[in-house]
Amino acid sequence: MDDLLNLAHDLAERLLPAFDKTETGIPLPRVNLKTGVPEDGRTTTCTAGGGSLLLEFSLLSRLVGDPIYEIYARRAVRGLFSRRNADTGLVGNVVDVHTGEWTGKMAGLGAGVDSFYEILLKSFIMFGEMEDADMFNSSYTSIKQYMRRGRGSCNSGSGLHPLYVNVEMATGNTATNWIDSLQAAFPGVQLLAGDVEEAICHHALYYSMWRKYGCLPERYNWKLDAPDVK
């Protein structure tokens, strides 16, 4: 066990330079595990990449008795959450780590954003920090208000089967006609949040794709009812 913890501690130390060199606290997208931050000029990262280390870094801090890892990870999460759109409460999918400007303004539950929401809830479950619950609950309210389409109830009423789509972060208007395979993990997040019926309904959508194709398409066009990227 000590060997695994030592390896995790060593890896975290090698990742810290990505956090050190930004004003926002959001880490740079690349770090060389031998030499540190590369001089490649890359300053943008996806929301999931920049804001999904809270659970692991916080646990590491507790196991090794050094708060620095949780401090850095929490600063990154706060940096992203504080930049959510004032009107919708949604975050985009790509941000400049130096300026804090959103260079990708699509909000969704799949690639680029997915684990940002997941880790907020799982961190709250693990550590009981109300800040994490507040950020998740606020985000989930915005998700259901702006991303959800279809009939109001999962298993009753008329209309299309409920669906969570990609939207423009500033307006909530539909941004794409596709959803991607990474979004299939979100029903598990909804289940952990206690939104059981919605989780079942959301899972059914992806399970139907799996049954139809034998696997999940990378991107599925819900308007054409066919894969965009097979």
Side-chain angles (χ1 to χ4, degrees):
M1 190 65 180
D2 286 345
D3 289 342
L4 293 176
L5 182 57
N6 288 337
L7 287 170
H9 195 184
D10 178 62
L11 178 59
E13 279 293 308
R14 295 169 189 262
L15 292 174
L16 285 189
F19 293 81
D20 275 336
K21 300 180 183 298
T22 71
E23 292 294 325
T24 62
I26 304 166
L28 287 156
R30 299 285 186 271
V31 60
N32 186 298
L33 297 180
K34 282 188 174 183
T35 60
V37 174
E39 298 295 331
D40 59 5
R42 291 187 62 131
T43 64
T44 58
T45 190
C46 69
T47 302
S52 296
L53 288 171
L54 184 59
L55 179 63
E56 290 86 351
F57 269 33
S58 296
L59 183 55
L60 180 65
S61 279
R62 286 159 170 77
L63 289 174
V64 301
D66 186 346
I68 191 63
Y69 309 106
E70 180 173 358
I71 289 170
Y72 274 34
R74 189 165 293 282
R75 182 171 175 241
V77 168
R78 288 170 178 158
L80 288 162
F81 186 75
S82 68
R83 288 172 171 80
R84 68 195 185 280
N85 184 268
D87 295 322
T88 65
L90 298 172
V91 296
N93 60 334
V94 183
V95 66
D96 188 294
V97 300
H98 292 310
T99 67
E101 296 295 319
W102 294 104
T103 59
K105 299 182 180 182
M106 186 180 78
L109 299 177
V113 188
D114 52 351
S115 54
F116 175 71
Y117 299 125
E118 174 190 357
I119 296 304
L120 286 176
L121 180 57
K122 288 183 176 179
S123 292
F124 168 67
I125 292 170
M126 176 68 86
F127 307 116
E129 296 286 346
M130 284 308 302
E131 179 185 17
D132 301 334
D134 292 342
M135 285 189 286
F136 175 80
N137 290 331
S138 173
S139 298
Y140 192 42
T141 297
S142 295
I143 287 165
K144 293 192 78 170
Q145 179 177 352
Y146 292 103
M147 296 183 197
R148 195 182 186 281
R149 304 288 188 269
R151 62 178 178 265
S153 297
C154 177
N155 295 313
S156 62
S158 59
L160 297 174
H161 185 90
L163 173 73
Y164 290 82
V165 304
N166 299 315
V167 300
E168 298 169 2
M169 65 175 291
T171 63
N173 295 332
T174 302
T176 74
N177 293 330
W178 53 262
I179 54 178
D180 66 56
S181 59
L182 291 182
Q183 186 177 321
F186 200 75
V189 179
Q190 293 175 303
L191 186 64
L192 289 174
D195 201 355
V196 178
E197 182 174 320
E198 195 73 6
I200 292 170
C201 198
H202 198 172
H203 173 260
L205 174 69
Y206 279 92
Y207 183 57
S208 68
M209 292 182 209
W210 191 285
R211 289 285 301 273
K212 184 173 183 179
Y213 298 107
C215 66
L216 289 178
E218 183 68 18
R219 287 183 179 179
Y220 188 79
N221 190 310
W222 47 265
K223 198 165 189 178
L224 298 178
D225 197 20
D228 264 358
V229 181
K230 295 180 180 181

